[in-house]
Amino acid sequence: MSFNCGLIGFGTVKYISDNPDVCVLSFDRDDLDEGAYEYLAQTPVSLDGYRKLKLDDEVLIIGSAVGTAANATIGTVKSTDYYVADFDANMLFLYADTMPGLSGCPIYDRYGRLVAVLAGGSEYGEAVCVKAEDILGCLEKDD
């Protein structure tokens, strides 16, 4: 795995799900230099935060698109349970300008809680995200 700060480490695929489109990776911190720890932080997924999302709430999308170092954009919630045939799943649906390469980046609510992960976007300013409950379900299957 490579990190934005330039660190590279070896990871293990722990779990893959087609529905939702999630892959859980892990790595051993001992494989990284001790100085790398400051770049690594756990951000818990907030099921409560997801459940409190309402129509037209703003969310923050932060990631690194292809060819850029970092991107942040605001999305607007249009549905918290929108069926997306391409993923055969109910997902968080946003109006948001996204770019190629942002898939997999975190979605935060206005309180900084991790509520979803971006799955994909369109050229029409639409984005779909894996919901907190589905992320947590995949993490539980890894145990």
Side-chain angles (χ1 to χ4, degrees):
M1 293 182 280
S2 61
F3 300 87
N4 283 342
C5 61
L7 297 173
I8 297 175
F10 293 97
T12 303
V13 175
K14 301 296 278 184
Y15 177 77
I16 297 174
S17 170
D18 291 333
N19 184 0
D21 185 20
V22 173
C23 177
V24 178
L25 303 173
S26 71
F27 65 96
D28 188 344
R29 286 177 65 138
D30 294 337
D31 290 342
L32 298 172
D33 293 336
E34 197 168 308
Y37 295 166
E38 69 184 88
Y39 296 103
L40 304 175
Q42 291 184 353
T43 304
V45 179
S46 177
L47 185 55
D48 183 55
Y50 186 82
R51 289 180 174 158
K52 289 181 178 176
L53 288 177
K54 304 269 188 276
L55 182 68
D56 293 328
D57 277 358
E58 289 186 339
V59 293
L60 182 61
I61 303 166
I62 301 175
S64 294
V66 174
T68 61
N71 305 98
T73 188
I74 300 291
T76 304
V77 174
K78 289 302 166 187
S79 176
T80 58
D81 200 35
Y82 184 79
Y83 179 74
V84 181
D86 287 350
F87 291 96
D88 190 27
N90 288 357
M91 306 180 87
L92 174 64
F93 179 69
L94 308 173
Y95 286 166
D97 290 323
T98 60
M99 296 175 257
L102 285 179
S103 296
C105 74
I107 309 296
Y108 298 98
D109 70 5
R110 64 182 172 170
Y111 301 105
R113 297 177 295 200
L114 178 61
V115 295
V117 172
L118 183 68
S122 77
E123 61 190 65
Y124 306 109
E126 300 168 328
V128 293
C129 312
V130 178
K131 304 184 302 182
E133 62 194 47
D134 293 331
I135 297 166
L136 290 170
C138 290
L139 292 174
E140 289 169 3
K141 289 178 183 175
D142 171 48
D143 291 341

